[in-house]
Amino acid sequence: MTTAPVCGARTPIAWWECEPRRLRRDREEIPAHFPDLVFSDEGAGSWEGTLPRWPFGRPEPTHLTDWIGESGLRLRLAYSQAYPMVAPRIIPLDPLPAPFEWTQHIWHVNGDASLCLLQDDVWTGRETVVDLLLKAAGWRIEYALMKYQAIEEMTGSGIVTDHRLDHFLAQPPPPGDGGQDGPAC
C-alpha cells in the first residue's frame, strides 16, 4: 500500500540535493585554500573558522601582524537554500564590527552584520566561493586600516588584487589605542 500525496504538502529540498556538483566543488575548493574552515550541513549549510591573515599571491607586508595580529578574520559563511543563485552571507565573528558600522557604506558591512563584498562585481551563481573568502580576508585588513584611521573608506575592488594599501602595512600602525574604537559615527 502506498500513501497518496497530500495536495499542497511539500517536502523541503536542500540546495545541495539540486546542486550536488556545486556542493562537491565547494567541499573541494574551500579546504584546499582555507584549511581552517569547517563545514556544517545544519540548515542550509555553513563554513566556520579563521582565514589566513594574508592568502594573496604577493608577499606579506612586513608589519601586517602589527596591524591585525597573528591570525586573519574568524567568520561564518552561511548558505541559503537559494544558493548558488544567491551568494552566501559572510558574517565576521572576530573582529565583530560595531553596530554603527553595519549600515555605513564605508565599512562594507550590511545591516544584518554580513560583509558587503560585491561592491563592483555581480554574483551570477557561477563564481567560486573562494573569491568571496579572499575578499573577506582583505576586508579584515582594510577594517584595521579604517580603525587606525589610515584610510577614510574601504576600496571598491578590495585588497586581494589591489596593492595600493600595502605601503601602510610595510610600516607599524600609529601609536595609540590599537584602533579599537575607530572613528565616531
Side-chain angles (χ1 to χ4, degrees), residues 30-109:
I30 293 172
H33 290 86
F34 308 103
D36 293 333
L37 298 184
V38 177
F39 180 73
S40 167
D41 63 359
E42 189 173 318
S46 64
W47 293 86
E48 189 167 320
T50 303
L51 300 176
R53 70 175 177 259
W54 189 263
F56 315 125
R58 58 191 189 276
E60 180 179 308
T62 309
H63 289 277
L64 178 63
T65 56
D66 297 333
W67 289 84
I68 69 167
E70 293 295 327
S71 62
L73 177 66
R74 192 166 68 85
L75 61 77
R76 178 182 309 114
L77 180 149
Y79 295 110
S80 73
Q81 296 296 0
Y83 181 79
M85 291 313 298
V86 174
R89 292 175 44 230
I90 295 182
I91 301 108
L93 303 175
D94 186 20
L96 179 64
F100 80 87
E101 298 164 349
W102 294 5
T103 56
Q104 295 184 38
H105 175 74
I106 62 171
W107 296 96
H108 293 196
V109 182

XYZ file of all heavy atoms in Angstrom, residues 30-109:
651
model
N 37.209 24.953 -1.036
C 37.359 25.734 0.197
C 38.437 25.152 1.112
O 39.344 25.883 1.522
C 35.996 25.910 0.903
C 35.092 26.793 0.028
C 36.167 26.508 2.292
C 33.660 26.896 0.500
N 38.427 23.847 1.425
C 39.519 23.333 2.277
C 40.899 23.429 1.623
O 41.906 23.554 2.324
C 39.127 21.870 2.507
C 37.667 21.811 2.264
C 37.409 22.841 1.194
N 40.945 23.371 0.286
C 42.241 23.486 -0.389
C 42.863 24.867 -0.176
O 44.081 24.998 -0.088
C 42.088 23.200 -1.882
N 42.036 25.902 -0.077
C 42.532 27.268 0.114
C 42.484 27.728 1.571
O 43.289 28.553 1.993
C 41.713 28.249 -0.734
C 41.964 28.112 -2.196
N 41.287 27.219 -2.984
C 42.835 28.740 -3.013
C 41.714 27.300 -4.224
N 42.662 28.223 -4.274
N 41.509 27.217 2.315
C 41.283 27.670 3.698
C 41.093 26.450 4.603
O 39.967 26.113 4.987
C 40.061 28.600 3.750
C 40.136 29.729 2.763
C 39.409 29.691 1.589
C 40.960 30.819 3.008
C 39.492 30.723 0.655
C 41.052 31.854 2.086
C 40.316 31.808 0.916
N 42.193 25.782 4.958
C 42.075 24.513 5.698
C 41.507 24.660 7.106
O 41.118 23.654 7.702
C 43.518 24.000 5.731
C 44.366 25.206 5.500
C 43.564 26.127 4.642
N 41.426 25.867 7.632
C 40.901 26.046 8.990
C 39.396 26.287 9.027
O 38.848 26.575 10.084
C 41.628 27.195 9.695
C 43.082 26.854 9.951
O 43.398 25.645 10.067
O 43.907 27.778 10.030
N 38.719 26.188 7.877
C 37.266 26.320 7.850
C 36.637 24.926 7.916
O 37.100 23.997 7.273
C 36.798 27.044 6.585
C 37.276 28.482 6.407
C 36.642 29.087 5.151
C 36.972 29.335 7.615
N 35.567 24.819 8.687
C 34.887 23.538 8.893
C 33.455 23.650 8.378
O 32.751 24.616 8.696
C 34.893 23.168 10.390
C 34.124 21.870 10.634
C 36.321 23.060 10.903
N 33.030 22.645 7.603
C 31.686 22.635 7.025
C 30.683 22.040 8.010
O 30.983 21.084 8.710
C 31.669 21.807 5.731
C 30.317 21.748 5.077
C 29.799 22.848 4.426
C 29.552 20.592 5.130
C 28.543 22.801 3.821
C 28.304 20.522 4.529
C 27.805 21.638 3.873
N 29.488 22.622 8.037
C 28.361 22.081 8.793
C 27.182 21.959 7.839
O 26.886 22.898 7.096
C 27.990 23.023 9.953
O 26.735 22.639 10.482
N 26.504 20.816 7.851
C 25.332 20.649 6.980
C 24.032 20.976 7.702
O 22.947 20.697 7.208
C 25.288 19.245 6.378
C 25.140 18.153 7.425
O 25.083 18.465 8.637
O 25.090 16.978 7.028
N 24.142 21.620 8.831
C 22.946 22.044 9.561
C 22.238 23.161 8.785
O 22.882 24.082 8.281
C 23.336 22.549 10.949
C 22.141 22.814 11.845
C 22.566 23.140 13.264
O 23.483 22.484 13.782
O 21.963 24.067 13.828
N 20.924 23.085 8.691
C 20.155 24.085 7.942
C 20.545 24.058 6.474
O 20.607 22.997 5.862
N 20.846 25.216 5.915
C 21.272 25.301 4.524
C 22.777 25.102 4.377
O 23.313 25.158 3.281
C 20.863 26.645 3.934
N 23.475 24.877 5.501
C 24.921 24.637 5.461
C 25.715 25.890 5.729
O 25.234 27.020 5.512
N 26.912 25.691 6.242
C 27.790 26.825 6.539
C 29.235 26.343 6.683
O 29.491 25.143 6.813
C 27.352 27.530 7.828
O 27.487 26.655 8.935
N 30.131 27.278 6.645
C 31.551 27.054 6.932
C 31.916 28.024 8.042
O 31.475 29.169 8.030
C 32.421 27.357 5.713
C 32.229 26.428 4.561
C 31.293 26.523 3.580
C 32.995 25.260 4.271
N 31.429 25.500 2.693
C 32.478 24.707 3.086
C 34.083 24.641 4.890
C 32.992 23.557 2.504
C 34.604 23.489 4.302
C 34.067 22.955 3.133
N 32.721 27.579 8.987
C 33.135 28.476 10.058
C 34.583 28.202 10.410
O 35.027 27.058 10.401
C 32.244 28.299 11.294
C 32.495 29.361 12.350
C 31.411 29.384 13.422
O 30.226 29.226 13.089
O 31.777 29.570 14.588
N 35.310 29.265 10.736
C 36.709 29.133 11.107
C 37.453 30.430 10.863
O 36.838 31.499 10.767
N 38.762 30.325 10.773
C 39.615 31.504 10.634
C 40.368 31.454 9.308
O 40.952 30.430 8.954
C 40.624 31.565 11.804
O 39.882 31.570 13.036
C 41.482 32.801 11.721
N 40.340 32.582 8.612
C 41.062 32.700 7.348
C 42.531 32.988 7.623
O 42.868 33.580 8.653
C 40.481 33.845 6.515
C 39.014 33.740 6.119
C 38.575 35.005 5.385
C 38.781 32.503 5.268
N 43.421 32.624 6.712
C 44.813 33.051 6.847
C 44.880 34.580 6.824
O 44.048 35.233 6.198
C 45.495 32.470 5.606
C 44.550 31.450 5.074
C 43.182 31.834 5.517
N 45.862 35.152 7.507
C 45.916 36.622 7.540
C 46.325 37.221 6.200
O 45.997 38.360 5.901
C 46.824 37.103 8.671
C 48.274 36.835 8.470
C 49.129 37.458 9.572
N 50.496 37.089 9.348
C 51.119 36.130 10.008
N 50.522 35.496 10.973
N 52.352 35.816 9.694
N 47.043 36.490 5.339
C 47.473 37.013 4.048
C 47.435 35.890 3.009
O 48.482 35.308 2.665
C 48.885 37.606 4.163
C 49.315 38.360 2.944
C 50.088 37.891 1.906
C 49.022 39.713 2.592
N 50.269 38.855 0.954
C 49.625 40.007 1.351
C 48.281 40.719 3.223
C 49.533 41.245 0.737
C 48.187 41.961 2.597
C 48.812 42.222 1.380
N 46.280 35.553 2.455
C 46.181 34.459 1.482
C 46.344 34.915 0.030
O 45.858 34.250 -0.882
C 44.760 33.938 1.727
C 44.001 35.161 2.105
C 44.973 36.025 2.883
N 47.013 36.015 -0.181
C 47.109 36.599 -1.508
C 48.412 36.191 -2.204
O 49.336 35.706 -1.555
C 47.014 38.125 -1.425
C 45.904 38.576 -0.503
C 46.160 39.437 0.547
C 44.611 38.108 -0.662
C 45.157 39.839 1.409
C 43.597 38.500 0.197
C 43.869 39.366 1.233
N 48.500 36.421 -3.496
C 49.638 35.989 -4.287
C 50.912 36.776 -4.097
O 51.989 36.310 -4.442
N 50.841 37.967 -3.550
C 52.042 38.780 -3.373
C 52.579 38.628 -1.945
O 51.860 38.177 -1.053
C 51.753 40.233 -3.709
C 50.653 40.872 -2.916
C 50.285 42.235 -3.521
N 49.383 42.966 -2.664
C 48.065 42.803 -2.651
N 47.492 41.907 -3.436
N 47.315 43.519 -1.845
N 53.864 38.990 -1.731
C 54.464 38.798 -0.399
C 53.717 39.584 0.694
O 53.236 40.691 0.468
C 55.890 39.344 -0.566
C 56.152 39.339 -2.032
C 54.826 39.524 -2.707
N 53.674 38.973 1.882
C 53.014 39.618 3.024
C 53.816 40.837 3.462
O 55.026 40.754 3.633
C 52.917 38.621 4.181
C 52.253 39.198 5.411
C 52.142 38.192 6.538
O 51.628 37.083 6.298
O 52.576 38.523 7.658
N 53.174 41.982 3.643
C 53.887 43.183 4.103
C 54.533 42.959 5.479
O 54.001 42.233 6.318
C 52.789 44.239 4.172
C 51.756 43.778 3.204
C 51.787 42.274 3.297
N 55.648 43.623 5.678
C 56.495 43.435 6.854
C 55.749 43.580 8.180
O 55.960 42.802 9.094
C 57.646 44.459 6.818
O 58.273 44.377 5.543
C 58.650 44.181 7.906
N 54.900 44.570 8.312
C 54.266 44.866 9.601
C 52.779 44.493 9.652
O 52.044 45.032 10.486
C 54.458 46.351 9.946
C 55.862 46.680 10.317
N 56.365 46.476 11.581
C 56.888 47.160 9.574
C 57.639 46.836 11.614
N 57.986 47.252 10.398
N 52.352 43.575 8.815
C 50.939 43.187 8.808
C 50.459 42.735 10.190
O 49.379 43.126 10.637
C 50.680 42.077 7.784
C 49.240 41.565 7.739
C 48.276 42.676 7.308
C 49.122 40.360 6.821
N 51.252 41.930 10.884
C 50.800 41.430 12.200
C 50.671 42.560 13.215
O 49.892 42.446 14.154
C 51.746 40.348 12.754
O 53.062 40.880 12.814
C 51.713 39.102 11.881
N 51.421 43.644 13.050
C 51.257 44.799 13.944
C 49.877 45.434 13.766
O 49.337 46.042 14.684
C 52.331 45.847 13.677
C 53.728 45.329 13.975
O 53.868 44.425 14.828
O 54.686 45.831 13.346
N 49.311 45.309 12.569
C 48.008 45.911 12.272
C 46.853 44.994 12.661
O 45.835 45.459 13.165
C 47.901 46.242 10.778
C 48.760 47.373 10.338
C 50.085 47.331 9.989
C 48.385 48.737 10.205
N 50.540 48.567 9.644
C 49.507 49.458 9.758
C 47.191 49.429 10.392
C 49.485 50.827 9.518
C 47.154 50.799 10.144
C 48.297 51.480 9.717
N 46.984 43.675 12.383
C 45.828 42.786 12.585
C 46.083 41.636 13.554
O 45.166 40.862 13.834
C 45.327 42.208 11.243
C 46.329 41.207 10.647
C 44.981 43.311 10.256
C 45.741 40.379 9.512
N 47.297 41.480 14.038
C 47.597 40.355 14.919
C 48.070 39.148 14.126
O 48.328 39.229 12.928
N 48.155 38.019 14.799
C 48.727 36.807 14.198
C 47.779 36.072 13.261
O 48.212 35.332 12.386
C 49.190 35.851 15.303
C 50.370 36.364 16.106
C 51.637 36.500 15.271
O 51.853 35.699 14.343
O 52.417 37.437 15.549
N 46.479 36.215 13.455
C 45.555 35.436 12.623
C 44.641 36.356 11.820
O 44.519 37.541 12.100
C 44.726 34.479 13.486
O 43.946 35.199 14.405
N 44.010 35.762 10.838
C 43.096 36.519 9.985
C 41.693 36.557 10.552
O 41.469 36.293 11.735
N 40.759 36.863 9.702
C 39.359 37.020 10.086
C 38.744 35.683 10.501
O 38.847 34.695 9.785
C 38.579 37.597 8.891
C 37.085 37.765 9.053
C 36.769 38.820 10.104
C 36.457 38.133 7.708
N 38.085 35.646 11.650
C 37.254 34.495 12.034
C 35.851 34.793 11.535
O 35.327 35.905 11.771
C 37.263 34.283 13.538
C 36.647 32.942 13.948
C 36.968 32.578 15.387
N 36.310 33.460 16.334
C 35.052 33.287 16.774
N 34.340 32.276 16.348
N 34.535 34.131 17.636
N 35.244 33.852 10.852
C 33.964 34.116 10.188
C 33.073 32.890 10.124
O 33.501 31.771 10.396
C 34.213 34.644 8.777
C 34.975 33.741 7.799
C 34.121 32.624 7.231
C 35.550 34.565 6.677
N 31.852 33.148 9.694
C 30.904 32.106 9.314
C 30.403 32.444 7.923
O 29.937 33.567 7.681
C 29.725 32.027 10.267
C 28.694 30.945 9.843
C 27.462 30.847 10.745
N 27.845 30.739 12.137
C 27.584 31.682 13.069
N 26.919 32.765 12.729
N 27.964 31.528 14.304
N 30.525 31.496 7.002
C 29.947 31.632 5.669
C 28.652 30.836 5.690
O 28.680 29.627 5.924
C 30.904 31.078 4.610
C 30.426 31.166 3.163
C 31.619 31.339 2.237
C 29.644 29.929 2.765
N 27.538 31.507 5.518
C 26.231 30.852 5.631
C 25.548 30.800 4.273
O 25.308 31.834 3.642
C 25.360 31.604 6.635
N 25.236 29.578 3.824
C 24.471 29.403 2.600
C 22.993 29.638 2.900
O 22.548 29.478 4.024
C 24.600 27.966 2.083
C 25.977 27.541 1.644
C 26.701 26.614 2.379
C 26.537 28.025 0.476
C 27.954 26.180 1.966
C 27.792 27.611 0.050
C 28.495 26.685 0.800
O 29.728 26.269 0.381
N 22.241 30.001 1.867
C 20.785 29.967 1.943
C 20.327 28.854 1.012
O 21.124 28.339 0.216
C 20.181 31.308 1.516
O 20.286 31.464 0.111
N 19.073 28.485 1.102
C 18.570 27.438 0.207
C 18.507 27.935 -1.239
O 18.281 27.139 -2.140
C 17.197 26.938 0.681
C 17.230 26.266 2.035
C 18.049 24.972 2.077
O 18.625 24.530 1.077
N 18.117 24.360 3.243
N 18.721 29.217 -1.466
C 18.740 29.766 -2.826
C 20.135 29.709 -3.459
O 20.313 30.117 -4.593
C 18.241 31.205 -2.821
N 21.140 29.217 -2.724
C 22.483 29.078 -3.267
C 22.470 28.000 -4.348
O 21.765 27.021 -4.191
C 23.456 28.692 -2.143
C 24.881 28.553 -2.583
C 25.670 29.665 -2.781
C 25.430 27.292 -2.818
C 26.979 29.537 -3.198
C 26.737 27.164 -3.228
C 27.508 28.284 -3.419
O 28.808 28.166 -3.834
N 23.183 28.125 -5.420
C 24.193 29.129 -5.759
C 23.662 30.364 -6.482
O 24.444 31.241 -6.811
C 25.149 28.354 -6.661
C 24.295 27.352 -7.337
C 23.234 26.983 -6.337
N 22.357 30.457 -6.702
C 21.851 31.645 -7.397
C 21.997 32.897 -6.534
O 22.118 33.997 -7.057
C 20.393 31.459 -7.815
C 20.228 30.411 -8.917
S 21.403 30.607 -10.302
C 20.969 32.209 -10.909
N 21.975 32.744 -5.216
C 22.180 33.857 -4.293
C 23.499 33.607 -3.568
O 23.745 32.494 -3.077
C 21.017 33.955 -3.284
C 21.286 35.015 -2.232
C 19.710 34.231 -4.017
N 24.346 34.609 -3.515
C 25.658 34.474 -2.859
C 25.480 34.141 -1.379
O 24.526 34.608 -0.743
C 26.451 35.770 -3.000
N 26.382 33.349 -0.828
C 26.307 33.092 0.616
C 26.628 34.365 1.397
O 27.307 35.259 0.896
C 27.366 32.013 0.838
C 28.317 32.171 -0.290
C 27.517 32.698 -1.446
N 26.129 34.407 2.643
C 26.445 35.539 3.530
C 27.728 35.216 4.271
O 27.931 34.083 4.699
C 25.307 35.752 4.540
C 24.041 36.226 3.909
C 22.869 36.329 4.899
N 23.268 36.947 6.145
C 23.003 36.430 7.351
N 22.353 35.294 7.454
N 23.386 37.049 8.436
N 28.588 36.206 4.422
C 29.803 36.049 5.211
C 29.681 36.970 6.409
O 29.598 38.189 6.263
C 31.053 36.340 4.378
C 31.164 35.287 3.260
C 32.304 36.340 5.262
C 32.372 35.420 2.375
N 29.657 36.362 7.586
C 29.461 37.112 8.827
C 30.779 37.126 9.609
O 31.272 36.064 10.002
C 28.350 36.472 9.680
C 27.035 36.443 8.892
C 28.169 37.205 10.987
C 26.635 35.092 8.442
N 31.356 38.298 9.831
C 32.593 38.354 10.625
C 32.284 38.066 12.096
O 31.303 38.577 12.638
C 33.077 39.789 10.420
C 31.865 40.565 10.055
C 30.926 39.606 9.368
N 33.108 37.235 12.716
C 32.938 36.898 14.130
C 34.028 37.541 14.986
O 33.804 37.857 16.139
C 32.952 35.376 14.313
C 31.892 34.612 13.507
C 32.088 33.114 13.677
C 30.495 35.035 13.917
N 35.232 37.700 14.416
C 36.322 38.364 15.128
C 37.323 38.909 14.103
O 37.965 38.108 13.425
C 37.016 37.389 16.074
C 38.053 38.076 16.935
O 37.992 39.312 17.089
O 38.940 37.366 17.447
N 37.365 40.214 13.966
C 36.653 41.208 14.750
C 35.190 41.314 14.329
O 34.841 41.087 13.173
C 37.400 42.508 14.440
C 37.925 42.320 13.053
C 38.249 40.844 12.962
N 34.378 41.672 15.290
C 32.954 41.886 15.059
C 32.733 43.386 14.897
O 33.004 44.153 15.819
C 32.149 41.361 16.244
C 30.639 41.524 16.170
C 30.067 40.723 15.008
C 30.011 41.082 17.477
N 32.277 43.814 13.728
C 32.047 45.256 13.543
C 31.024 45.802 14.535
O 30.085 45.108 14.911
C 31.518 45.350 12.108
C 31.894 44.086 11.457
C 31.962 43.041 12.541
N 31.227 47.035 14.938
C 30.288 47.697 15.852
C 28.968 47.959 15.123
O 28.962 48.179 13.906
C 30.883 49.014 16.341
N 27.840 47.925 15.833
C 26.542 48.134 15.175
C 26.477 49.407 14.329
O 25.840 49.403 13.280
C 25.561 48.173 16.351
C 26.198 47.283 17.367
C 27.690 47.557 17.236
N 27.152 50.485 14.741
C 27.065 51.704 13.930
C 27.759 51.543 12.586
O 27.495 52.293 11.655
C 27.602 52.928 14.691
C 29.101 53.057 14.717
C 29.783 53.705 13.691
C 29.841 52.560 15.776
C 31.167 53.844 13.714
C 31.223 52.686 15.811
C 31.882 53.317 14.782
N 28.596 50.520 12.437
C 29.303 50.286 11.172
C 28.474 49.442 10.196
O 28.822 49.336 9.028
C 30.634 49.571 11.451
C 31.564 50.387 12.310
C 32.698 49.579 12.903
O 32.677 48.335 12.837
O 33.621 50.199 13.453
N 27.392 48.849 10.677
C 26.637 47.895 9.869
C 25.947 48.520 8.664
O 25.687 47.835 7.691
C 25.586 47.173 10.705
C 26.149 46.282 11.758
C 27.466 46.127 12.104
C 25.426 45.413 12.614
N 27.589 45.232 13.126
C 26.345 44.772 13.467
C 24.070 45.131 12.750
C 25.959 43.853 14.423
C 23.691 44.220 13.706
C 24.625 43.578 14.529
N 25.606 49.758 8.740
C 24.846 50.347 7.631
C 25.569 51.502 6.955
O 24.986 52.171 6.111
C 23.478 50.842 8.121
O 23.688 51.757 9.191
C 22.611 49.692 8.591
N 26.819 51.716 7.304
C 27.562 52.785 6.652
C 28.391 52.189 5.510
O 29.185 51.275 5.733
C 28.470 53.485 7.657
C 27.684 54.196 8.740
C 28.592 54.960 9.662
O 29.577 55.546 9.236
N 28.268 54.952 10.938
N 28.213 52.708 4.333
C 28.858 52.187 3.134
C 30.369 52.071 3.299
O 30.973 51.115 2.789
C 28.512 53.085 1.943
C 29.210 52.699 0.691
N 28.849 51.574 -0.035
C 30.250 53.261 0.054
C 29.656 51.484 -1.082
N 30.505 52.487 -1.057
N 30.983 52.992 3.999
C 32.447 52.999 4.091
C 33.009 51.758 4.772
O 34.168 51.426 4.578
C 32.978 54.274 4.800
C 32.458 54.341 6.228
C 32.620 55.509 3.985
C 33.107 55.450 7.049
N 32.208 51.053 5.569
C 32.690 49.856 6.284
C 32.420 48.562 5.525
O 32.873 47.498 5.921
C 32.047 49.780 7.671
C 32.449 50.922 8.553
C 31.750 52.084 8.759
C 33.641 51.038 9.325
N 32.447 52.896 9.619
C 33.605 52.283 9.988
C 34.744 50.217 9.532
C 34.621 52.718 10.826
C 35.754 50.637 10.368
C 35.688 51.882 11.000
N 31.625 48.590 4.479
C 31.279 47.416 3.679
C 30.644 46.316 4.533
O 30.968 45.135 4.397
C 32.483 46.877 2.928
C 32.974 47.821 1.864
N 33.820 47.432 0.869
C 32.744 49.145 1.640
C 34.090 48.460 0.085
N 33.443 49.502 0.545
N 29.764 46.726 5.444
C 29.017 45.786 6.279
C 27.539 46.081 6.073
O 27.116 47.234 6.097
C 29.391 45.947 7.772
C 28.628 44.928 8.622
C 30.893 45.786 7.975
